[in-house]
Amino acid sequence: MAKPDNRADNVEHLQQHIQDTIENLREGEEYLNEFSSEISSGERNQIEEKNDRRRVSIQAFREEVKDEAAHQRSEE
């Protein structure tokens, strides 16, 4: 039997994902700032592309937080 959909802590989980992704983005930027002259252009491109994807993910997570918050308000 399937568990019922419990969305009570979705906003919390999404906010944690946002924080984790922001931290990873910052680490990638710091790495590039510190080692850009020592790494290959391929590695630099990989990190920059990954950070671009992280920015997109952060925005998507934020939109999802808004949706979840609206859903929770509508259930009250």
Side-chain angles (χ1 to χ4, degrees), residues 5-17 61 64-65 68-69 71-72:
D5 185 20
N6 181 359
R7 298 171 68 163
D9 59 354
N10 281 5
V11 171
E12 219 175 283
H13 287 283
L14 289 167
Q15 288 173 334
Q16 186 59 53
H17 289 308
F61 284 139
E64 202 169 338
V65 166
E68 284 296 322
H71 175 77
Q72 288 177 1

Side-chain angles (χ1 to χ4, degrees), residues 7 10-11 14-15 18 55-71 73:
R7 298 171 68 163
N10 281 5
V11 171
L14 289 167
Q15 288 173 334
I18 291 169
R55 287 182 189 93
V56 171
S57 293
I58 290 166
Q59 187 58 40
F61 284 139
R62 287 181 173 153
E63 291 299 319
E64 202 169 338
V65 166
K66 289 179 191 176
D67 291 345
E68 284 296 322
H71 175 77
R73 281 192 302 273

Side-chain angles (χ1 to χ4, degrees), residues 21 46 48-58:
T21 305
Q46 279 184 324
E48 289 170 348
E49 288 172 3
K50 190 173 255 188
N51 278 351
D52 288 342
R53 290 191 300 273
R54 288 174 173 141
R55 287 182 189 93
V56 171
S57 293
I58 290 166

